[in-house]
Amino acid sequence: MTRLIVAAGGGGDAVAAAMLHAALYGDRDQAVILTYAWDRLLIDPLPGPRRPADFTGLERLTPAVWRVPAQAQPIAPAGSTLPRLAAELPHTFALLDPYQGTEGLTHQLEDLVSRLEPESIDLLDVGGDILARGDEATLRSPLADSLALAACCQVNAPVRLLVAGPGLDGELLPADLSDMLGSAVHTFTASDAEAISSVLEWHPSEATGVLAATARGARGTCEIRDAGLPVPLTDDSPTVHEVDLDDAVSRNQLARAIMATEHLDEAEAYSREICGYSEIDYERNKALWLKDQQPATLDPSAIWPQLDQFEAEARARGITHTTFRRITEALNLSGSQLDDLRRLLINGRPGQYDAPLWRIPIAAE
């Protein structure tokens, strides 16, 4: 049997989809994970999602959908985690291309469903921002999720909406989501997290990394992103809830507005109108800012006192964990230095590595 899982936000949602498949379906069925190539600026210096023309080595899965095999490569300067995911995980990764708006995404989904005749279709979002109204002050990236939601609700096939790790992306508080969450489908365990443990050693996704950490038992408050958003790690964090698809669309103003869009630019315009911004605009502005910045040198002798100061300040804020992405940006390092920094910290203070997070000690160690 084939299971189709749509990763609503791309990036880490695709990794979480692999964990979900292992937890719910195991080795019995095959998984096709349909996802954007949208890895944000840590991996891809170009703003926005990538399209098929941005890759070499893609394989046609259906007339409207391309498969991303391990040998595929993004065309420089673009970057993408998808080929490496395809190399390390036993799933088929298919590319969602949003440049023809919701109409194009719906066509891609229908084409894939017609070809695969999947046993089930799950739309997966880590964190729950797919349930945002659009006016929440903490909302940061509504466009990708809203496009996926708008397309899935128009497909002539049953789609189950699943929210994993409510609140773990730092965009909506768990309390903001509680009235929308249906029954718990699953609670991730440490055993489930093993399915993606090797990927989380290098993949920059914060929300999925935090989800896996809570599945392994991490509790407290984790600081994420460049803004240092605090995310509570609780017993509810590793849960997966079903949400009524129609209720989600009724709540999500942006998803309703972009139903008939034929271009990504149209969807962006609606995002600016409804939410007050477009996340791709944020990426454009940040990419320009990064071009003018001179990243700090990764000097091991200088890193430790800088890290000690960061940890002391985080501890004063009540933070118990953080991500390597957060540390990288807090120390004014570039995304290309993240892996080197991770290795340096883990080798230097292995006791603080609460995989895949970094533990802030209660007192200086």
Side-chain angles (χ1 to χ4, degrees):
M1 295 181 188
T2 298
R3 307 282 183 173
L4 176 59
I5 305 177
V6 182
D13 285 358
V15 181
M19 182 164 66
L20 178 77
H21 181 267
L24 298 186
Y25 309 118
D27 297 329
R28 302 187 308 275
D29 305 326
Q30 296 180 331
V32 174
I33 297 173
L34 185 60
T35 181
Y36 302 106
W38 199 342
D39 282 301
R40 318 297 173 171
L41 299 178
L42 273 177
I43 294 293
D44 185 356
L46 302 180
R50 305 281 64 78
R51 62 181 86 203
D54 293 321
F55 289 87
T56 61
L58 299 185
E59 298 173 354
R60 187 78 73 170
L61 190 55
T62 75
V65 179
W66 292 88
R67 174 175 172 258
V68 185
Q71 65 268 24
Q73 291 293 327
I75 298 171
S80 175
T81 59
L82 289 182
R84 188 169 178 182
L85 287 181
E88 296 191 17
L89 295 173
H91 310 300
T92 296
F93 289 89
L95 188 61
L96 263 179
D97 177 7
Y99 280 90
Q100 282 71 51
T102 302
E103 292 280 356
L105 291 177
T106 304
H107 176 60
Q108 292 165 44
L109 273 164
E110 289 177 336
D111 198 38
L112 198 55
V113 170
S114 176
R115 169 70 181 271
L116 298 178
E117 297 183 348
E119 183 71 14
S120 64
I121 307 171
D122 293 323
L123 171 60
L124 176 65
D125 176 49
V126 178
D129 54 324
I130 198 169
L131 303 179
R133 295 182 305 273
D135 59 355
E136 293 87 352
T138 52
L139 190 62
R140 294 291 181 271
S141 55
L143 185 56
D145 295 318
S146 297
L147 281 162
L149 177 61
C152 281
C153 77
Q154 297 184 82
V155 173
N156 188 25
V159 177
R160 179 174 64 165
L161 172 56
L162 298 176
V163 169
L168 291 188
D169 58 1
E171 300 205 30
L172 296 180
L173 295 173
D176 296 331
L177 301 168
S178 58
D179 64 329
M180 291 289 294
L181 300 178
S183 59
V185 173
H186 185 71
T187 298
F188 286 122
T189 65
S191 177
D192 296 329
E194 282 306 305
I196 59 170
S197 60
S198 62
V199 169
L200 293 177
E201 292 297 316
W202 59 266
H203 198 281
S205 170
E206 292 182 295
T208 297
V210 173
L211 178 64
T214 62
R216 290 167 168 160
R219 298 294 183 266
T221 302
C222 183
E223 199 168 77
I224 66 171
R225 298 195 181 186
D226 50 359
L229 301 174
V231 173
L233 313 180
T234 71
D235 291 343
D236 292 329
S237 295
T239 58
V240 183
H241 292 263
E242 185 171 358
V243 177
D244 185 274
L245 192 68
D246 291 336
D247 288 347
V249 174
S250 295
R251 181 176 174 122
N252 188 319
Q253 299 177 65
L254 180 56
R256 293 199 308 277
I258 62 177
M259 288 284 179
T261 53
E262 297 181 349
H263 302 281
L264 181 59
D265 289 346
E266 289 180 76
E268 269 203 273
Y270 278 112
S271 182
R272 296 184 191 104
E273 177 184 330
I274 292 168
C275 305
Y277 58 89
S278 160
E279 61 212 66
I280 308 179
D281 283 341
Y282 171 80
E283 293 177 16
R284 293 181 183 111
N285 293 333
K286 187 171 181 178
L288 290 173
W289 178 80
L290 288 172
K291 277 185 179 180
D292 296 333
Q293 299 302 305
Q294 186 67 35
T297 302
L298 186 57
D299 177 5
S301 62
I303 287 297
W304 296 113
Q306 293 174 31
L307 178 67
D308 289 340
Q309 180 179 349
F310 168 77
E311 289 183 342
E313 294 169 354
R315 191 160 46 243
R317 294 190 292 270
I319 302 302
T320 62
H321 296 78
T322 192
T323 64
F324 287 96
R325 172 184 171 180
R326 168 64 178 147
I327 298 174
T328 299
E329 300 203 11
L331 300 188
N332 195 34
L333 299 172
S334 69
S336 63
Q337 296 169 304
L338 191 153
D339 286 342
D340 289 339
L341 177 68
R342 184 200 307 263
R343 282 190 291 270
L344 175 66
L345 266 54
I346 293 173
N347 289 335
R349 296 178 182 175
Q352 286 182 241
Y353 185 43
D354 198 356
L357 304 179
W358 184 252
R359 181 177 58 82
I360 305 295
I362 295 175
E365 293 181 355

PDB file of all heavy atoms in Angstrom, residues 271-284:
ATOM      1  N   SER A 271      -1.463  37.518   1.370  1.00  0.00           N
ATOM      2  CA  SER A 271      -0.808  37.408   2.669  1.00  0.00           C
ATOM      3  C   SER A 271      -0.495  38.791   3.232  1.00  0.00           C
ATOM      4  O   SER A 271      -0.687  39.063   4.424  1.00  0.00           O
ATOM      5  CB  SER A 271       0.482  36.579   2.551  1.00  0.00           C
ATOM      6  OG  SER A 271       1.107  36.429   3.810  1.00  0.00           O
ATOM      7  N   ARG A 272      -0.017  39.690   2.374  1.00  0.00           N
ATOM      8  CA  ARG A 272       0.262  41.054   2.828  1.00  0.00           C
ATOM      9  C   ARG A 272      -1.020  41.746   3.290  1.00  0.00           C
ATOM     10  O   ARG A 272      -1.024  42.478   4.279  1.00  0.00           O
ATOM     11  CB  ARG A 272       0.917  41.856   1.702  1.00  0.00           C
ATOM     12  CG  ARG A 272       2.282  41.345   1.275  1.00  0.00           C
ATOM     13  CD  ARG A 272       2.914  42.253   0.232  1.00  0.00           C
ATOM     14  NE  ARG A 272       4.088  41.627  -0.369  1.00  0.00           N
ATOM     15  CZ  ARG A 272       4.109  41.083  -1.584  1.00  0.00           C
ATOM     16  NH1 ARG A 272       3.018  41.112  -2.330  1.00  0.00           N
ATOM     17  NH2 ARG A 272       5.211  40.527  -2.054  1.00  0.00           N
ATOM     18  N   GLU A 273      -2.106  41.499   2.562  1.00  0.00           N
ATOM     19  CA  GLU A 273      -3.370  42.144   2.884  1.00  0.00           C
ATOM     20  C   GLU A 273      -3.972  41.620   4.180  1.00  0.00           C
ATOM     21  O   GLU A 273      -4.458  42.380   5.018  1.00  0.00           O
ATOM     22  CB  GLU A 273      -4.354  41.915   1.729  1.00  0.00           C
ATOM     23  CG  GLU A 273      -5.746  42.484   1.952  1.00  0.00           C
ATOM     24  CD  GLU A 273      -6.689  42.136   0.809  1.00  0.00           C
ATOM     25  OE1 GLU A 273      -6.218  41.991  -0.338  1.00  0.00           O
ATOM     26  OE2 GLU A 273      -7.901  41.992   1.079  1.00  0.00           O
ATOM     27  N   ILE A 274      -3.932  40.287   4.366  1.00  0.00           N
ATOM     28  CA  ILE A 274      -4.611  39.665   5.505  1.00  0.00           C
ATOM     29  C   ILE A 274      -3.725  39.614   6.740  1.00  0.00           C
ATOM     30  O   ILE A 274      -4.178  39.896   7.856  1.00  0.00           O
ATOM     31  CB  ILE A 274      -5.083  38.241   5.115  1.00  0.00           C
ATOM     32  CG1 ILE A 274      -6.196  38.347   4.064  1.00  0.00           C
ATOM     33  CG2 ILE A 274      -5.570  37.455   6.336  1.00  0.00           C
ATOM     34  CD1 ILE A 274      -6.544  37.037   3.408  1.00  0.00           C
ATOM     35  N   CYS A 275      -2.457  39.259   6.548  1.00  0.00           N
ATOM     36  CA  CYS A 275      -1.546  39.081   7.685  1.00  0.00           C
ATOM     37  C   CYS A 275      -0.657  40.302   7.925  1.00  0.00           C
ATOM     38  O   CYS A 275      -0.037  40.414   8.980  1.00  0.00           O
ATOM     39  CB  CYS A 275      -0.659  37.850   7.469  1.00  0.00           C
ATOM     40  SG  CYS A 275      -1.572  36.321   7.137  1.00  0.00           S
ATOM     41  N   GLY A 276      -0.587  41.160   6.938  1.00  0.00           N
ATOM     42  CA  GLY A 276       0.246  42.349   7.079  1.00  0.00           C
ATOM     43  C   GLY A 276       1.651  42.182   6.546  1.00  0.00           C
ATOM     44  O   GLY A 276       2.454  43.114   6.608  1.00  0.00           O
ATOM     45  N   TYR A 277       1.970  41.030   5.982  1.00  0.00           N
ATOM     46  CA  TYR A 277       3.321  40.758   5.485  1.00  0.00           C
ATOM     47  C   TYR A 277       3.299  39.485   4.641  1.00  0.00           C
ATOM     48  O   TYR A 277       2.327  38.729   4.642  1.00  0.00           O
ATOM     49  CB  TYR A 277       4.302  40.560   6.647  1.00  0.00           C
ATOM     50  CG  TYR A 277       3.887  39.427   7.567  1.00  0.00           C
ATOM     51  CD1 TYR A 277       4.305  38.135   7.331  1.00  0.00           C
ATOM     52  CD2 TYR A 277       3.041  39.668   8.641  1.00  0.00           C
ATOM     53  CE1 TYR A 277       3.889  37.088   8.155  1.00  0.00           C
ATOM     54  CE2 TYR A 277       2.629  38.630   9.472  1.00  0.00           C
ATOM     55  CZ  TYR A 277       3.060  37.343   9.211  1.00  0.00           C
ATOM     56  OH  TYR A 277       2.637  36.315  10.005  1.00  0.00           O
ATOM     57  N   SER A 278       4.379  39.263   3.953  1.00  0.00           N
ATOM     58  CA  SER A 278       4.643  37.988   3.279  1.00  0.00           C
ATOM     59  C   SER A 278       5.944  37.439   3.830  1.00  0.00           C
ATOM     60  O   SER A 278       6.935  38.170   3.930  1.00  0.00           O
ATOM     61  CB  SER A 278       4.762  38.178   1.766  1.00  0.00           C
ATOM     62  OG  SER A 278       5.453  37.095   1.170  1.00  0.00           O
ATOM     63  N   GLU A 279       5.958  36.173   4.153  1.00  0.00           N
ATOM     64  CA  GLU A 279       7.187  35.582   4.693  1.00  0.00           C
ATOM     65  C   GLU A 279       8.314  35.594   3.658  1.00  0.00           C
ATOM     66  O   GLU A 279       9.494  35.593   4.013  1.00  0.00           O
ATOM     67  CB  GLU A 279       6.940  34.159   5.187  1.00  0.00           C
ATOM     68  CG  GLU A 279       6.483  33.175   4.137  1.00  0.00           C
ATOM     69  CD  GLU A 279       5.564  32.112   4.706  1.00  0.00           C
ATOM     70  OE1 GLU A 279       4.455  32.456   5.133  1.00  0.00           O
ATOM     71  OE2 GLU A 279       5.968  30.952   4.723  1.00  0.00           O
ATOM     72  N   ILE A 280       7.950  35.615   2.371  1.00  0.00           N
ATOM     73  CA  ILE A 280       9.002  35.680   1.350  1.00  0.00           C
ATOM     74  C   ILE A 280       9.612  37.074   1.325  1.00  0.00           C
ATOM     75  O   ILE A 280      10.815  37.227   1.092  1.00  0.00           O
ATOM     76  CB  ILE A 280       8.459  35.273  -0.031  1.00  0.00           C
ATOM     77  CG1 ILE A 280       7.742  33.925   0.044  1.00  0.00           C
ATOM     78  CG2 ILE A 280       9.617  35.161  -1.032  1.00  0.00           C
ATOM     79  CD1 ILE A 280       7.161  33.452  -1.282  1.00  0.00           C
ATOM     80  N   ASP A 281       8.816  38.103   1.593  1.00  0.00           N
ATOM     81  CA  ASP A 281       9.376  39.445   1.734  1.00  0.00           C
ATOM     82  C   ASP A 281      10.400  39.477   2.869  1.00  0.00           C
ATOM     83  O   ASP A 281      11.471  40.093   2.751  1.00  0.00           O
ATOM     84  CB  ASP A 281       8.275  40.468   2.031  1.00  0.00           C
ATOM     85  CG  ASP A 281       7.472  40.842   0.797  1.00  0.00           C
ATOM     86  OD1 ASP A 281       7.960  40.618  -0.331  1.00  0.00           O
ATOM     87  OD2 ASP A 281       6.354  41.359   0.973  1.00  0.00           O
ATOM     88  N   TYR A 282      10.055  38.824   3.973  1.00  0.00           N
ATOM     89  CA  TYR A 282      10.995  38.765   5.105  1.00  0.00           C
ATOM     90  C   TYR A 282      12.297  38.098   4.669  1.00  0.00           C
ATOM     91  O   TYR A 282      13.394  38.575   4.998  1.00  0.00           O
ATOM     92  CB  TYR A 282      10.361  37.981   6.263  1.00  0.00           C
ATOM     93  CG  TYR A 282      11.331  37.688   7.392  1.00  0.00           C
ATOM     94  CD1 TYR A 282      11.632  38.651   8.346  1.00  0.00           C
ATOM     95  CD2 TYR A 282      11.966  36.442   7.487  1.00  0.00           C
ATOM     96  CE1 TYR A 282      12.539  38.394   9.373  1.00  0.00           C
ATOM     97  CE2 TYR A 282      12.862  36.172   8.506  1.00  0.00           C
ATOM     98  CZ  TYR A 282      13.146  37.145   9.442  1.00  0.00           C
ATOM     99  OH  TYR A 282      14.046  36.883  10.442  1.00  0.00           O
ATOM    100  N   GLU A 283      12.181  37.005   3.902  1.00  0.00           N
ATOM    101  CA  GLU A 283      13.380  36.325   3.434  1.00  0.00           C
ATOM    102  C   GLU A 283      14.166  37.198   2.462  1.00  0.00           C
ATOM    103  O   GLU A 283      15.404  37.204   2.481  1.00  0.00           O
ATOM    104  CB  GLU A 283      13.001  34.997   2.774  1.00  0.00           C
ATOM    105  CG  GLU A 283      12.436  33.971   3.750  1.00  0.00           C
ATOM    106  CD  GLU A 283      12.003  32.686   3.065  1.00  0.00           C
ATOM    107  OE1 GLU A 283      12.400  32.458   1.904  1.00  0.00           O
ATOM    108  OE2 GLU A 283      11.263  31.906   3.687  1.00  0.00           O
ATOM    109  N   ARG A 284      13.462  37.928   1.601  1.00  0.00           N
ATOM    110  CA  ARG A 284      14.150  38.832   0.670  1.00  0.00           C
ATOM    111  C   ARG A 284      14.943  39.890   1.436  1.00  0.00           C
ATOM    112  O   ARG A 284      16.109  40.161   1.132  1.00  0.00           O
ATOM    113  CB  ARG A 284      13.125  39.514  -0.244  1.00  0.00           C
ATOM    114  CG  ARG A 284      12.420  38.576  -1.218  1.00  0.00           C
ATOM    115  CD  ARG A 284      11.437  39.335  -2.099  1.00  0.00           C
ATOM    116  NE  ARG A 284      10.718  38.442  -2.989  1.00  0.00           N
ATOM    117  CZ  ARG A 284       9.419  38.159  -2.891  1.00  0.00           C
ATOM    118  NH1 ARG A 284       8.688  38.724  -1.939  1.00  0.00           N
ATOM    119  NH2 ARG A 284       8.846  37.322  -3.734  1.00  0.00           N
TER     120      ARG A 284
END
